Amino acid sequence: MKAEAHSDRVKLQASSFKPPPLAAYVHIPWCVKKCPYCDFNSHTSHDALPEAEYVDALIEDLEQDLQALDGLPARPLTSIFFGGGTPSLFSAAALDRFLQALNQRVPFAGDIEITLEANPGTFEQAKFRDYRLAGINRLSIGIQSFNAEHLKALGRIHDDHEALGAVEMARRAGFDNLNLDLMHGLPNQDNAQAMADLDQAMALAPEHLSWYQLTLEPNTVFYSRPPTLPEEDILWSIQEAGLQRLAAGGYAQYEISAYARDGRRARHNLNYWQYGDFLGLGAGAHGKLTDTNGAVQRYWKTRLPKDYLNPEKAYLAGSKTLDSDELPFDFLMNALRLVDGVPSAWYAERTGQSLDNIVATLKQAEAKGLLEPWQQQLRPTERGRLFLNDLLEMFL
């Protein structure tokens, strides 16, 4: 049995506390090949994956997390997200075993959204049909580009034909809720190539698109050996043209890099941005829980798969209960990513603090044209979305 490592939690006074929705994030850390731009907790697998052992560990990890829910109001899970790595390397049987164990311990909402991240190079028709039968009802497919040259530059294991085939197989397997991940600002990419990628993605009619610019993150190959990226004026033209195309194609922007058809916003990601709670299970997973006094705890699990699977080591690597002066920034860093923001009343409900504590700063942000009138809704202006870092820094 692994040792537990739970920290003491500071209590805040919160007369207006209402338990936020509860979700679960499950991290599968292995992938076929580490991409040069990737800074996620992913590890190349050279041998057969330890599926059974990892699911056993996930269930024991869950048991320990559930102790932190003791005394809190019972809440069903509104969404589950299998992220990675490449979760689609795991069999449907392994994921089904975990989902059944999770459902035995925490009830699922009747309309729960269960998302699996998948890469085109891992698609097999029967396998994805079995995922659907196991209850997974949403796929997020890591396309990144339909251009063979750009896929090669990004170190992807699939080509443009496999990208198209993955979407077709997903539809045949019964998935009617698809997200396609697509990057722009790729090495040596011009505006026409970026728009060709976007046009191809929209032609496939996914319900959701995640369209975001490639950035060079620390601790990646691209960071240490930077490729030649487009100039700023090209990046700006891609962004402007892309926004127009997406809107014309029926994809409404609701977050910085998220676009969806009506009624198809990613429920799991919305829970993050709306400051909901979520269990964090698996190697390197992060979680967030709020107690009845409004104290917000963020926690994270040990990163390396070998340590996570080691019975002598704790699953929990660390945790932090946010101080009262950290909560405004932590809440708004998420909420103000949303085009529509969040109801102002949620600030008190989900942080345990009165909105009066930040009224002076809210007024300053409104005066600078970064925030809409905030009495009913905490919502950035168009200028505020463009200069989001400047807006958020006001609350540090």
Side-chain angles (χ1 to χ4, degrees), residues 191-214:
N191 188 302
Q193 291 170 328
M195 292 306 100
D197 270 351
L198 198 51
D199 288 342
Q200 177 63 84
M202 289 191 292
L204 295 171
E207 286 67 34
H208 190 285
L209 276 166
S210 297
W211 188 62
Y212 51 94
Q213 183 179 319
L214 171 65

Side-chain angles (χ1 to χ4, degrees), residues 35-240:
C35 296
Y37 59 84
C38 177
D39 68 334
F40 296 149
N41 182 36
S42 60
H43 304 267
T44 302
S45 173
H46 301 289
D47 303 308
L49 295 178
E51 280 192 349
E53 296 88 345
Y54 196 74
V55 172
D56 288 343
L58 285 173
I59 294 170
E60 188 175 335
D61 186 7
L62 170 65
E63 292 279 8
Q64 294 187 14
D65 264 21
L66 293 181
Q67 295 176 26
L69 295 179
D70 287 348
L72 296 182
R75 292 169 286 176
L77 287 176
T78 59
S79 65
I80 302 166
F81 194 101
F82 290 97
T86 306
S88 53
L89 292 177
F90 265 36
S91 68
L95 299 184
D96 182 46
R97 182 162 78 90
F98 173 74
L99 286 171
Q100 290 189 44
L102 179 58
N103 196 15
Q104 288 168 2
R105 293 159 175 81
V106 188
F108 290 5
D111 61 347
I112 190 170
E113 175 194 273
I114 306 178
T115 301
L116 177 76
E117 286 187 335
N119 285 332
T122 66
F123 266 73
E124 299 168 18
Q125 189 65 57
K127 186 179 184 181
F128 279 79
R129 183 189 63 238
D130 290 343
Y131 286 144
R132 188 69 190 87
L133 292 173
I136 293 165
N137 53 24
R138 184 175 184 271
L139 285 183
S140 181
I141 306 176
I143 300 289
Q144 311 315 350
S145 176
F146 294 96
N147 182 300
E149 179 183 339
H150 292 143
L151 286 170
K152 184 177 180 180
L154 291 172
R156 302 297 289 174
I157 65 170
H158 67 273
D159 59 26
D160 50 329
H161 299 293
E162 287 175 306
L164 295 170
V167 176
E168 181 183 351
M169 278 193 276
R171 293 302 195 194
R172 287 206 308 264
F175 286 95
D176 62 358
N177 195 1
L178 296 183
N179 169 64
L180 301 186
D181 260 12
L182 202 64
M183 285 184 177
H184 61 86
L186 307 181
N188 300 307
Q189 186 183 51
D190 60 26
N191 188 302
Q193 291 170 328
M195 292 306 100
D197 270 351
L198 198 51
D199 288 342
Q200 177 63 84
M202 289 191 292
L204 295 171
E207 286 67 34
H208 190 285
L209 276 166
S210 297
W211 188 62
Y212 51 94
Q213 183 179 319
L214 171 65
T215 56
L216 305 185
E217 301 292 347
N219 302 314
T220 65
V221 172
F222 272 4
Y223 191 81
S224 59
R225 297 195 296 274
T228 302
L229 298 181
E231 300 290 340
E232 284 294 326
D233 58 338
I234 296 176
L235 293 173
W236 185 252
S237 70
I238 289 172
Q239 182 73 19
E240 284 191 317

Side-chain angles (χ1 to χ4, degrees), residues 302-320:
T302 186
R303 285 178 57 87
L304 294 178
K306 67 180 181 65
D307 291 338
Y308 187 80
L309 291 171
N310 184 344
E312 301 302 318
K313 295 186 182 254
Y315 296 117
L316 189 67
S319 64
K320 175 179 174 57

